[in-house]
Amino acid sequence: MKRETILKIVKASGVSAGELILVHFWGEDSEKEIANSFLAAVAELGATPVLLQQARSINRDIFASAKESCFDERYFELISKFDAVLDVFACQPIVLGYSLEDEQMDLYRRYMAQLFGKLMECKRFAQIRIPTEANAAESGLDPEDYITRMNEAYDVDYEALGAACRQEAEKYAGAEKAVVHTGEDCELNLDLTGRKWLADAGDGDLPCGEIYIAPVEDRTNGTVFFEEFWLEDEKYSNVTLRVENGEVTGSSDEAVAKLFAGMPRENRIVCELGLGMNPNVKSLCGYTVLDEKMAGTFHIAVGANVMFGGANQATDHTDFVGKGKVEVK
């Protein structure tokens, strides 16, 4: 990733002069040039950068021998002092990739849970996926295709994107209903009463470019059609979902219906409506991180939404991206 692009990302995340910024880097020493570029970009904007590296090889050695007395409250209180966190990953975060004794693995899991609890107390938290072969493997895309698509999505005019997202969110502020028209005659009705549209233009999940809202959980009804539909790493074609009182209750595809039927009820609840806004995402590829940001698309999600104004507690959050006409009233 170019340094110029990294500077654009850091600026879009909201970093400003005088702030204390944690660059939380998931990667090995061989990839540390990426972290260094983020540190330099933070400093160029007049803020103070601090690096916390999560290298799998280092964490393996630390947590193979760590004791219960390690990482007490003093450590985690330090984490909560930062104004913002840039969570930068060159590989899949949290996953250790090594076997530890059960007791030591439990210690690692508790460390991560406490760490993220404190990270989320900071004023801002941005997650930034780096276009690497390791992340390509997690995406399911060909590495070259993944890296090209990600770099294009990141190399966007963030000021223009931010303005467009905010304008669209403001336009729909106070709307009480959305209707998603798809396929030949599918119509999904969502109640937005009392809920707020949010904009993601660089200070949340990157690549960025969407506005989204948590609909009232038990008031979504109708059907919605997807020409291409991905669920649990499988691609399906021409899928219609049926939603009753907020819950996905069936599908035109027997295999998809069976997968939904096997989910806990809270993971079948429609929890989000989003609209893609990033003009640099040119086509759908099956990788939701990119697809949901594509300008001209919509996405609905099932599962958890308490983190953005909803009331559905769930273990998962799964997005489905489609094309159609969305009316917000």
Side-chain angles (χ1 to χ4, degrees):
M1 182 179 282
K2 297 177 181 178
R3 283 207 169 199
E4 295 84 354
T5 303
I6 290 174
L7 180 59
K8 288 170 64 175
I9 292 169
V10 172
K11 186 176 181 180
S13 75
V15 170
S16 59
E19 288 190 315
L20 184 62
I21 307 297
L22 178 66
V23 176
H24 189 214
F25 178 65
W26 303 84
E28 298 295 327
D29 285 344
S30 60
E31 301 162 310
K32 205 168 179 180
E33 183 180 346
I34 298 167
N36 293 341
S37 294
F38 275 90
L39 295 171
V42 169
E44 186 170 338
L45 294 173
T48 301
V50 177
L51 176 65
L52 173 58
Q53 183 180 1
Q54 302 283 359
R56 291 177 178 177
S57 59
I58 297 172
N59 280 349
R60 172 196 59 190
D61 293 341
I62 291 173
F63 285 93
S65 56
K67 306 296 187 292
E68 285 289 340
S69 57
C70 297
F71 304 107
D72 62 17
E73 281 302 313
R74 292 174 299 170
Y75 174 86
F76 294 108
E77 284 303 318
L78 288 174
I79 299 297
S80 65
K81 303 297 183 183
F82 292 95
D83 293 297
V85 178
L86 300 178
D87 195 45
V88 179
F89 37 102
C91 62
Q92 188 176 359
I94 300 177
V95 175
L96 190 56
Y98 295 97
S99 296
L100 294 177
E101 296 293 332
D102 289 347
E103 184 177 341
Q104 299 305 119
M105 183 59 79
D106 181 62
L107 187 61
Y108 176 72
R109 292 193 186 101
R110 283 187 281 127
Y111 163 78
M112 284 297 170
Q114 287 180 272
L115 175 64
F116 271 91
K118 288 299 181 182
L119 291 174
M120 298 308 292
E121 290 180 8
C122 298
K123 297 174 187 175
R124 300 187 308 280
F125 181 89
Q127 285 193 311
I128 305 159
R129 295 166 179 81
I130 301 300
T132 62
E133 290 196 8
N135 282 333
E138 184 265 334
S139 76
L141 298 177
D142 171 79
E144 185 176 348
D145 185 33
Y146 171 84
I147 290 170
T148 298
R149 287 175 180 271
M150 290 287 281
N151 280 326
E152 288 177 349
Y154 274 126
D155 193 22
V156 70
D157 183 335
Y158 286 95
E159 289 189 12
L161 179 61
C165 287
R166 289 188 294 272
Q167 182 178 0
E168 201 76 354
E170 289 169 6
K171 181 173 73 174
Y172 296 144
E176 296 184 348
K177 182 179 180 181
V179 184
V180 180
H181 301 274
T182 52
E184 293 185 2
D185 57 3
C186 290
E187 184 177 292
L188 188 69
N189 293 275
L190 303 97
D191 189 331
L192 311 180
T193 305
R195 299 297 170 85
K196 182 180 179 181
W197 285 93
L198 301 172
D200 177 12
D203 57 351
D205 182 41
L206 286 101
C208 63
E210 65 169 311
I211 64 169
Y212 57 100
I213 192 169
V216 179
E217 287 74 15
D218 60 353
R219 297 181 191 170
T220 298
N221 288 282
T223 56
V224 57
F225 171 80
F226 299 90
E227 187 174 341
E228 297 178 334
F229 185 85
W230 282 267
L231 181 61
E232 296 190 3
D233 298 324
E234 291 291 334
K235 180 182 178 181
Y236 303 87
S237 298
N238 302 320
V239 171
T240 299
L241 299 182
R242 182 175 66 253
V243 182
E244 299 176 274
N245 299 323
E247 179 183 349
V248 176
T249 57
S251 171
S252 60
D253 188 289
E254 185 177 342
V256 171
K258 187 175 181 180
L259 287 171
F260 273 104
M263 298 177 185
R265 183 179 182 278
E266 61 271 18
N267 286 340
R268 299 196 300 267
I269 299 297
V270 175
C271 67
E272 178 188 0
L273 170 65
L275 305 177
M277 300 287 291
N278 190 324
N280 282 18
V281 180
K282 304 295 186 182
S283 62
L284 300 178
C285 62
Y287 183 45
T288 304
V289 169
L290 284 170
D291 287 351
E292 68 178 0
K293 312 298 170 42
M294 178 180 166
T297 65
F298 74 89
H299 56 276
I300 63 168
V302 292
N305 63 3
V306 293
M307 55 284 203
F308 54 92
N312 193 50
Q313 295 273 4
T315 57
D316 297 336
H317 177 97
T318 308
D319 294 277
F320 309 112
V321 183
K323 295 181 179 180
K325 179 183 177 182
V326 180
E327 293 181 277
V328 181
K329 306 176 181 180

